[in-house]
Amino acid sequence: MPELPEVETIVRQLDAELSGKRLGQVRLSRKDIVHGDPRPLSRLLPDRRIEGVHRRAKRVIIDLRPRAQLVFHLGMSGRLTLCALDASVEKHTHLRIAIRNADRELRFRDPRRFGGVWCLTGGPKHKGRKLGEVGPEPLPLTLRQFKAVVARPRQLKALLLDQRVIAGLGNIYCDEALHAAGVHPLTRADSLDEAQARRLLRAIKATLRKAIRSGGSTFADYRRADGRAGSYQKHHRAYHRDGQPCRTCGTTIQRINVAGRSTFICPRCQQEVSKPPS
Ligand SMILES: [Zn+2]
């Protein structure tokens, strides 16, 4: 599933390539992936100018003028790529948006359809799924803000995965950051002391920044906007490394289950210090 670094990678590429351009013809093959304004995208989008592309949480937001926003949620398997007009169209490509005076088009592909597109115009709304509320972005968080975020009696990893609490982290970067900070994922969040909270926030930011520099992590579906894979998976220290030696201490990385998700830890670097709430 694309997380903050993967979405940030897509957004930076799209912003550089698309800002100032105008949208053209829209081809939609699955109406049920579109939410927000109920009018057809083929009427709403053509000729609108792209003001810029940015990210909030794990969402790609395309700002348009006349004023509108096109919000993509990539869900589990979504891909948002700029493709040559004559490139073969992959199965499960639900939406294609031409770019005026360009030889490429924007394609949204999502085999598992946990993602979707929201067209927000300020006009009629409430068709299909709503965009949920999301918590603060991790990169600008101060230690004080982070301590307020984690001051809850919940398992730390479950809390960090909760998009309403903190935005953009998923299974990969939670495991990587917790390993880098030497904190066990089952730690009760409100039991972190000052030093642990500082280490963890620092690890979250450093992990996300390094992953953005590598274009994100590709395991299965994720691709950058130019269709290439990310490379941060080569630098993972915990995620999907069960059975392999910890790159810090040599102990074998274990796979455990936390909050219903496969979780990868080094039992030596990440010792459990307090029991989670039952
Ligand atoms: Zn270790």
Side-chain angles (χ1 to χ4, degrees):
M1 176 196 256
E3 303 179 28
L4 188 157
E6 289 76 38
V7 178
E8 182 68 26
T9 301
I10 293 169
V11 155
R12 289 181 185 186
Q13 291 186 320
L14 292 181
D15 186 59
E17 300 268 348
L18 296 181
S19 290
K21 299 212 159 67
R22 280 181 195 279
L23 299 179
Q25 192 193 2
V26 173
R27 278 179 280 196
L28 176 68
S29 50
R30 277 204 77 108
K31 285 192 180 132
D32 61 351
I33 62 150
V34 182
H35 313 278
D37 195 313
R39 293 172 289 179
L41 293 182
S42 57
R43 251 181 68 205
L44 287 169
L45 297 183
D47 285 325
R48 287 200 202 244
R49 184 176 179 276
I50 298 169
E51 296 285 294
V53 184
H54 61 103
R55 179 190 61 74
R56 172 75 174 101
K58 302 180 192 172
R59 298 163 186 170
V60 177
I61 302 173
I62 303 181
D63 288 322
L64 301 170
R65 195 152 299 257
R67 199 183 167 90
Q69 280 187 326
L70 206 51
V71 182
F72 288 87
H73 197 298
L74 303 178
M76 295 295 289
S77 59
R79 265 190 211 171
L80 188 61
T81 48
L82 270 175
C83 299
L85 294 175
D86 57 1
S88 60
V89 179
E90 283 183 281
K91 203 175 166 191
H92 307 297
T93 298
H94 307 311
L95 174 64
R96 299 161 67 187
I97 306 174
I99 311 298
R100 290 238 190 278
N101 303 317
D103 53 4
R104 283 183 296 171
E105 63 181 12
L106 196 59
R107 293 183 186 172
F108 178 61
R109 175 180 186 269
D110 187 11
R112 297 178 67 182
R113 278 185 287 118
F114 285 101
V117 189
W118 281 256
C119 187
L120 311 177
T121 57
K125 268 192 198 118
H126 305 308
K127 185 190 166 200
R129 279 159 61 198
K130 283 186 193 166
L131 272 167
E133 291 294 314
V134 284
E137 290 286 327
L139 286 172
L141 274 189
T142 63
L143 180 59
R144 206 168 133 218
Q145 290 166 330
F146 181 65
K147 280 166 64 187
V149 162
V150 296
R152 299 172 205 216
R154 291 177 62 186
Q155 285 177 356
L156 182 56
K157 180 169 171 182
L159 185 85
L160 295 176
L161 285 171
D162 187 339
Q163 297 302 297
R164 295 163 303 179
V165 172
I166 184 166
L169 296 173
N171 218 23
I172 298 176
Y173 299 103
C174 277
D175 283 6
E176 289 298 307
L178 287 165
H179 180 273
V183 177
H184 196 284
L186 286 175
T187 305
R188 196 173 134 146
D190 59 0
S191 76
L192 287 179
D193 62 27
E194 177 90 11
Q196 285 174 316
R198 182 181 292 115
R199 263 200 336 266
L200 180 57
L201 178 61
R202 204 174 275 166
I204 288 171
K205 291 184 183 185
T207 304
L208 293 173
R209 289 195 179 112
K210 280 185 275 185
I212 291 168
R213 282 201 293 274
S214 298
S217 304
T218 293
F219 280 94
D221 295 294
Y222 162 69
R223 293 292 180 279
R224 311 179 337 167
D226 58 13
R228 291 165 57 198
S231 64
Y232 192 64
Q233 66 281 4
K234 294 175 198 157
H235 304 287
H236 287 182
R237 300 177 73 83
Y239 187 75
H240 262 256
R241 292 194 67 248
D242 46 325
Q244 297 179 55
C246 171
R247 287 180 169 149
T248 306
C249 73
T251 305
T252 304
I253 299 285
Q254 289 178 357
R255 180 196 289 244
I256 60 171
N257 192 297
V258 179
R261 308 288 297 273
S262 282
T263 296
F264 303 87
I265 59 158
C266 169
R268 184 158 175 213
C269 294
Q270 296 167 266
Q271 292 190 10
E272 200 170 345
V273 286
S274 60
K275 284 282 167 206
S278 52

